[in-house]
Amino acid sequence: MVLVRASTFGQMLVGGATPRSLIGASGIVIAQRGRITWSKKPVIVKNAPYTIEAPHPRQAEMRIAFGTIASQAKGSRGLDTATGLPHAAARIKAAKGTFSLTKPKAPPTRKSFHTIEELKKML
């Protein structure tokens, strides 16, 4: 999957592309078909999700947690000998299940607009 903004192509010709952190929600996503069986297209182009620039609270918490764990590997070079992964990825894999975030709230239950008795009176 690739996140691209159309103006990036023009800037590449002029010199200097926009940093990935600034592409954000104004870009488009180019993805391979993968497990989307209903599509016959080899490549799918779609809008980038708005959560790139404005994440939900739980997404922000996870990004902070991953960033904190991965930053502990700053300065490490090469791959971790035990896992064969880059050091930041190895630390995240080792920490999996050891940190917890705020428990998500239960989704609100949908209530009917009318009770059964009110519906019977309407007939």
Side-chain angles (χ1 to χ4, degrees):
M1 178 171 59
V2 179
L3 181 61
V4 182
R5 189 169 64 188
S7 63
T8 302
F9 292 112
Q11 290 178 354
M12 286 173 40
L13 297 174
V14 175
T18 305
R20 182 178 173 197
S21 61
L22 297 178
I23 293 176
S26 62
I28 57 173
V29 176
I30 301 173
Q32 291 181 338
R33 185 176 68 156
R35 292 187 292 183
I36 300 175
T37 57
W38 50 264
S39 176
K40 301 296 182 208
K41 300 175 186 174
V43 175
I44 297 172
V45 178
K46 57 186 179 178
N47 290 332
Y50 69 91
T51 56
I52 290 175
E53 292 181 355
H56 295 292
R58 299 259 312 154
Q59 289 176 321
E61 289 179 23
M62 287 302 292
R63 291 178 188 180
I64 291 168
F66 284 152
T68 304
I69 294 168
S71 65
Q72 296 170 356
K74 187 174 182 176
S76 301
R77 299 183 74 168
L79 301 177
D80 185 51
T81 56
T83 61
L85 295 171
H87 289 284
R91 287 179 184 266
I92 290 173
K93 185 176 182 180
K96 185 178 178 183
T98 60
F99 60 93
S100 62
L101 304 174
T102 58
K103 188 172 185 178
K105 296 178 182 177
T109 58
R110 182 174 178 180
K111 296 181 180 179
S112 175
F113 293 104
H114 302 286
T115 63
I116 295 174
E117 290 78 19
E118 291 174 347
L119 291 173
K120 287 180 181 178
K121 288 179 185 177
M122 290 181 188
L123 294 176

